[in-house]
Amino acid sequence: MDTTDLRPGTTISRVIRGNWQLAGGHGAIDRATALDDLLAAFDSGVTTFDCADIYTGVEVLLGEFRRHLAAKRGREAADRLRVHTKLVPDLDLLPRLKPADLEAIVDQSRRRLGVERLDLVQFHWWDMAVPGAVEAMLALDGLRRAGKLSLVGATNFDTPQTRAILEAGVPLVSMQTQYSLLDARPEHGLAALCQSRDVALLCYGTVAGGFLSDAWLGRAEPGEPLENRSLTKYKLIIEDFGGWALFQALLRACRTIADRHGSDIATVASRAVLDRPGVAAVIVGGRNGAHVAANAAIGDLRLSAEDHAALEAVLARRTGPLGDTYALERDRTGRHGRVMKYNLNSAA
């Protein structure tokens, strides 16, 4: 598995295991099986795991996994484990958010994960029209200096707000953002800014909720309602990308590349994003052990110049999505924003 250093002394795997599917809202979780699946992912080379304060039960589960890992593989293995969490204040809380609120959430994550110092905290701000995001990031950095977290990151900030955070002196190390062959909005300014300021892109959505997979190759366009909110969200991205016919052309190009490498569409799609400038890692989900080998294969695959050219030939025909990172999702009256949920802490 490829690795990279977010900062000296902080090595992460370039494939990160996302754990939103282990939240309570995604169905019953057998804890013993989940711990074994997480261990199998670690053994495959995926040493970095992503979670959030709003993923019900997941921080507690990963804290248990840290102890499980130490018992099964030893203290040295547990020391190589990296757990990235997110701090996501409710939309309604933003106008009155105080440093004490941030500290309380950080302390909650420390208790749940069973650590004195969090590896990386990625801060989210729902509405850029509400002032206070930069001040909140400065307060979060104060908690870093106090020893409660090692590194400060953010998630889903647009380009101007990211620049404002950096200019305020926040030592931002990473930006978690949606980025896929279907959704290239980070290329509209954010990626270049982050690359120029040594801010690593940690990318989710690389398989678009499962749409970028062999399961959808050759299938007719699905009607409403779709099976879940994730598919609804990424179907809108497909429509913005250029529609179902162009999406199918992209799947065929990925399938041809996969055939050359003995791989599959999802692995090709994630590896293509991992090869983009400024991308440090891709975050891929896994509800059970069946995904372990597939996720690890992203690190093994090497795409050629011919492969990338074949993808670019299709991508040159796309019509969107337009705008800056996450701008569509922040418009609560728009078709993308109406899919989102903005006040999530009550369930976590």
Side-chain angles (χ1 to χ4, degrees):
M1 176 61 64
D2 294 341
T3 62
T4 189
D5 290 342
L6 288 183
R7 287 297 182 268
T10 303
T11 300
I12 65 169
S13 53
R14 295 196 68 205
V15 176
I16 297 174
R17 163 74 177 251
N19 293 285
W20 62 90
Q21 293 174 335
L22 296 179
H26 293 272
I29 299 296
D30 181 88
R31 298 189 77 79
T33 300
L35 291 173
D36 287 342
D37 291 344
L38 293 169
L39 183 63
F42 185 91
D43 288 342
S44 76
V46 177
T47 59
T48 308
F49 295 73
D50 183 78
C51 63
D53 61 330
I54 57 171
Y55 297 166
T56 305
V58 175
E59 286 183 322
V60 172
L61 179 62
L62 287 177
E64 189 175 348
F65 171 60
R66 187 185 298 274
R67 297 187 291 274
H68 183 70
L69 177 62
K72 293 290 186 179
R73 298 292 183 265
R75 177 51 53 190
E76 186 276 334
D79 288 344
R80 289 190 289 117
L81 175 68
R82 295 287 178 266
V83 177
H84 299 170
T85 195
K86 290 183 284 295
L87 197 165
V88 187
D90 283 351
L91 172 65
D92 292 344
L93 178 62
L94 298 187
R96 60 183 190 278
L97 186 70
K98 297 178 176 61
D101 299 319
L102 297 174
E103 185 170 16
I105 298 170
V106 165
D107 287 344
Q108 173 181 260
S109 293
R110 291 166 61 225
R111 287 192 302 272
R112 289 172 170 176
L113 288 164
V115 295
E116 287 297 313
R117 183 167 59 237
L118 300 170
D119 292 328
L120 172 68
V121 175
Q122 303 162 104
F123 185 66
H124 179 76
W125 192 264
W126 286 112
D127 189 346
M128 294 305 175
V130 177
V134 173
E135 291 78 8
M137 291 294 296
L138 287 167
L140 192 60
D141 186 48
L143 297 175
R144 178 193 64 82
R145 287 183 276 107
K148 293 192 173 188
L149 54 122
S150 294
L151 298 173
V152 175
T155 180
N156 293 327
F157 278 70
D158 60 20
T159 308
Q161 200 71 21
T162 301
R163 183 177 293 108
I165 290 167
L166 291 166
E167 290 177 351
V170 177
L172 193 69
V173 304
S174 65
M175 180 62 67
Q176 187 174 138
T177 186
Q178 184 170 298
Y179 197 179
S180 71
L181 291 175
L182 293 169
D183 184 359
R185 283 178 290 171
E187 296 174 15
H188 302 163
L190 180 69
L193 172 65
C194 288
Q195 193 173 14
S196 72
R197 299 295 294 270
D198 194 24
V199 177
L201 294 181
L202 308 178
C203 303
Y204 68 90
T206 59
V207 296
F211 273 119
L212 285 168
S213 70
D214 286 281
W216 287 95
L217 178 61
R219 285 179 58 175
E221 183 172 2
E224 299 290 343
L226 294 172
E227 182 179 344
N228 54 54
R229 192 160 54 94
S230 178
L231 289 178
T232 301
K233 165 186 169 179
Y234 287 110
K235 176 62 163 49
L236 294 174
I237 295 293
I238 290 172
E239 292 169 10
D240 291 343
F241 173 74
W244 197 255
L246 185 59
F247 167 62
Q248 287 295 317
L250 178 61
L251 290 184
R252 290 192 296 272
C254 288
R255 183 65 257 169
T256 299
I257 294 167
D259 287 341
R260 284 200 286 265
H261 296 277
S263 186
D264 58 72
I265 289 175
T267 301
V268 169
S270 290
R271 184 71 219 192
V273 173
L274 193 56
D275 288 347
R276 290 293 198 258
V279 173
V282 294
I283 304 167
V284 289
R287 182 171 169 78
N288 54 52
H291 297 98
V292 169
N295 291 349
I298 300 167
D300 295 332
L301 180 62
R302 295 294 182 270
L303 299 181
S304 67
E306 178 187 3
D307 296 331
H308 283 293
L311 293 174
E312 291 303 322
V314 179
L315 298 180
R317 298 159 53 195
R318 66 190 169 197
T319 58
L322 303 176
D324 209 333
T325 296
Y326 216 67
L328 295 170
E329 292 81 356
R330 291 186 199 282
D331 178 6
R332 297 193 293 281
T333 64
R335 52 203 279 273
H336 292 267
R338 289 195 298 269
V339 178
M340 306 298 296
K341 293 184 178 181
Y342 298 92
N343 294 291
L344 298 164
N345 284 286
S346 59

